[in-house]
Amino acid sequence: MNNRKDFRTELLKIAVPVTLQSLLQSSFSVVDQVMTGQLGSASIAGIGLAAKFASLYSVLLSAVAAAAGIMMAQYIGKKDDREAGRSFYFHLCLALFSALLFTGLSSGFPRQVMGIYTKDAAAREISAEYLRILGISFLPMSVSAMLAVLLRCREAAVLPLYSGILSAALNTILNYMLIFGKMGFPVMGAEGAALATLLSRTFECLLSFLLFSGLKRKQSWRLPFLLGMEKERGGLYARILLPILACEFFWSLGENVYAVIYGHMGTESCAAMTLTAPIQVLMIGALSGIAQAAGIIVGKSLGRGEEEKAYEDSRRLMACGLAGSLVLSVLLIIFSRFYVRIYYVENRVREITIQILYMFAVISPVKVQNMILGGGIIRSGGRTHYVMVIDLIGTWLFGVPLGFLAAFVFRLPIAWVYFMLSLEECVRFIISFAVFRRRGWIHNLNKI
């Protein structure tokens, strides 16, 4: 009984702040899209396509953060401050280096990048100007993400939440002023949305650092600055990090291939798919805390050598995710028609959007289970190559081929194209669940 009570306490302590922060982070793109949705279909499509390219860095950053979280959770569980500090600083440097590369591409060659996504001149021009400014925000975003991982592993997940609340509020205010030219500012449209995101993420980074520094002094945390490592330890890092990087990069690349498919199905279809993005992000974000909690709770148990507890807690986490996703899917089906009315778009675009949302509601519970299994549980033991293989099979052997067949061979409507390529989630879940049941993912990093 005490074990279940402890599990619920730890789950709530991690999952609730992480979920709220994820929803607030998601609000950056959601608020951008809702406000610029008042500017017409071209702006909606342009910002949506730029966000798809930006998601490449977001996914890469999440991969680096995931690897850091796996290592720090187990080392903190073992009370090994030296290796926890090494893991933090190593991954922070990697995140910053990646941010510099993507900032260079986004701000230096925005038109060339967005020319890959769409042939529509108006949408391409809007997306390029949006991406040019947005790309600079990758640098503060990387620092905030790594600080958030460390604080969650230290059971101080509420601090990144505070930063997220204030930065989301600032983002909303700046969007209103810069997009529509209020309070003496010029009307900037999509560029204003990008500038608001840049300023808000910079503010979040500075505030997160101040809160972290204050708590570090107060609790006398030891976080040694170490980057170098012996060959054996370096091999362990590589075996954990490289599969995650490959997995997330190729998964995100697949998502961008899907965006190319949508972009070549016409502006109406592309705009409709973009309108569904806020809902998809919010629904997945609402349950992302469970996946984050899974990586930390299960990882700490494995670091302490409590393998059976790790397995039982994993089952409970999956059950929580399934219940939550089913409730959200039902609510989405009920309220989807109300949601599309907030946009000033053609009735045809609204109808297509509703159809896609229905498809998403059907597939969402499977997506959530994959997020908890692949993004949290299976990775927690450091056997990240399992997840890499599963994602590559799902995305590139099933999702991408089905998407091209549905769109350009069978010429199905976009809602059915989305459903067909989303069947990859079912393939991934079947394989992931089999791996979970066999327990080969259970591994203590300290036994090397």
Side-chain angles (χ1 to χ4, degrees), residues 292-354:
Q292 293 277 351
I296 295 170
I297 293 172
V298 177
K300 284 185 174 181
S301 293
L302 292 176
R304 293 189 295 264
E306 299 171 349
E307 296 183 355
E308 192 59 36
K309 182 178 184 298
Y311 185 77
E312 290 304 317
D313 284 349
S314 297
R315 293 177 60 183
R316 296 188 185 111
L317 288 158
M318 290 169 62
C320 291
L322 178 61
S325 61
L326 289 173
V327 170
L328 291 177
S329 288
V330 171
L331 291 174
L332 176 58
I333 292 171
I334 294 172
F335 292 106
S336 59
R337 289 195 173 273
F338 298 98
Y339 165 71
V340 298
R341 293 177 185 173
I342 67 177
Y343 294 100
Y344 288 94
V345 294
E346 300 84 352
N347 287 332
R348 173 64 179 162
V349 174
R350 289 177 178 171
E351 286 302 315
I352 297 172
T353 303
I354 291 170

Side-chain angles (χ1 to χ4, degrees), residues 1 42 47-48 66 132 136 140-142 243 285 304 342 383:
M1 186 68 179
I47 289 178
R132 179 177 59 82
I136 305 171
M141 181 181 171
S142 64
R304 293 189 295 264
I342 67 177
R383 301 274 172 84

Side-chain angles (χ1 to χ4, degrees), residues 48-206:
L49 291 173
K52 276 296 181 183
F53 177 75
S55 72
L56 281 172
Y57 177 68
S58 297
V59 170
L60 180 60
L61 177 61
S62 71
V64 174
I70 291 169
M71 297 174 190
M72 284 192 285
Q74 290 214 22
Y75 292 136
I76 289 172
K78 191 190 174 187
K79 302 187 185 303
D80 187 342
D81 292 333
R82 180 181 175 85
E83 290 305 325
R86 189 196 307 275
S87 178
F88 172 74
Y89 288 114
F90 173 80
H91 289 95
L92 175 61
C93 291
L94 184 59
L96 287 170
F97 177 74
S98 303
L100 285 171
L101 291 179
F102 274 84
T103 297
L105 283 174
S106 301
S107 300
F109 309 97
R111 287 175 177 78
Q112 292 88 334
V113 170
M114 296 318 304
I116 300 171
Y117 287 79
T118 180
K119 295 178 180 178
D120 185 285
R124 184 173 64 247
E125 188 63 25
I126 291 171
S127 63
E129 290 304 313
Y130 181 84
L131 185 63
R132 179 177 59 82
I133 299 171
L134 183 70
I136 305 171
S137 72
F138 296 154
L139 289 164
M141 181 181 171
S142 64
V143 177
S144 298
M146 295 309 303
L147 288 173
V149 172
L150 176 58
L151 289 167
R152 289 166 191 162
C153 290
R154 289 285 187 178
E155 298 185 1
V158 71
L159 293 185
L161 173 61
Y162 294 154
S163 301
I165 291 173
L166 293 175
S167 61
L170 179 62
N171 183 57
T172 302
I173 295 169
L174 290 174
N175 264 310
Y176 178 72
M177 294 191 304
L178 299 176
I179 293 174
F180 304 114
K182 304 297 182 180
M183 299 179 65
F185 287 91
V187 177
M188 297 180 67
E191 291 180 69
L195 182 58
T197 299
L198 169 60
L199 295 174
S200 301
R201 284 179 174 168
T202 302
F203 170 79
E204 180 181 19
C205 175
L206 294 173

